[in-house]
Amino acid sequence: MEYLSRLLNQLKNQVAFKYHPRCAKLGITYLSFADDLLLFARGDFESVVALHQCFTQVTQASVLQTNLDKSSVYCGGVAMEERTRILAFLKYTVGELPFKYLGIPLSTKKISVSQWQPLIDKIITKISSWTSKKLSYAGRIQLVQTAIFGMQTYWA
């Protein structure tokens, strides 16, 4: 991942690469968690090719390979002709937004209360299961704060 990170950071110097519009300000090209990798680029063929070249270099230098069954391309606001060209090049399936990642929906729009409901239900269930007989009032407060913070951190 360190090698990939360095390669992706060098993309900003390439004329062919353009950041995803929502990622340009912060210079974000990827997010990584465990064995998952989300790559971001503007929806034009040249940017996708530049991003793919970095990823290909890493796969050639390591044993890491793309799982085509678990990989998808998400295109928002990309012309159909450009989308078809990108998909033919990458050979990945097309994913639809919103999709769930680590249990929460990822979307280009604000997440609604109904989409947050699983997290809210989880927090309520945890709090409801703690009985007042086993902990003091201060102990319950500490436990609730810790559990909510942990769930919030996980979902964030």
Side-chain angles (χ1 to χ4, degrees), residues 116 119 123 145-156:
W116 281 110
L119 175 61
I123 291 170
Q145 288 175 338
T146 303
I148 290 175
F149 181 75
M151 284 184 217
Q152 177 189 359
T153 303
Y154 170 79
W155 279 58

Side-chain angles (χ1 to χ4, degrees), residues 16-135:
F17 180 78
K18 294 186 179 46
Y19 285 103
H20 182 277
R22 304 240 175 186
C23 301
K25 195 178 211 180
L26 297 173
I28 297 173
T29 52
Y30 74 98
L31 292 175
S32 175
F33 181 77
D35 63 347
D36 294 331
L37 180 65
L38 302 172
L39 297 171
F40 304 103
R42 185 171 178 194
D44 62 80
F45 186 73
E46 292 76 21
S47 296
V48 171
V49 168
L51 196 66
H52 189 262
Q53 285 173 343
C54 289
F55 191 72
T56 302
Q57 274 185 266
V58 172
T59 60
Q60 290 171 350
S62 69
V63 295
L64 300 174
Q65 295 294 318
T66 306
N67 185 338
L68 294 176
D69 295 332
K70 294 181 177 180
S71 300
S72 299
V73 175
Y74 297 89
C75 300
V78 178
M80 190 54 78
E81 183 181 302
E82 192 77 354
R83 184 183 205 182
T84 304
R85 190 173 170 206
I86 291 168
L87 292 170
F89 173 73
L90 293 176
K91 299 182 178 41
Y92 296 147
T93 60
V94 179
E96 295 297 322
L97 294 171
F99 67 95
K100 284 193 173 188
Y101 181 69
L102 299 177
I104 70 164
L106 295 182
S107 176
T108 56
K109 298 175 178 83
K110 185 177 177 182
I111 297 175
S112 68
V113 173
S114 64
Q115 291 171 314
W116 281 110
Q117 200 58 49
L119 175 61
I120 294 167
D121 293 342
K122 213 175 209 182
I123 291 170
I124 290 171
T125 302
K126 287 280 186 195
I127 293 170
S128 299
S129 69
W130 302 326
T131 61
S132 59
K133 296 177 186 175
K134 296 184 180 175
L135 293 172

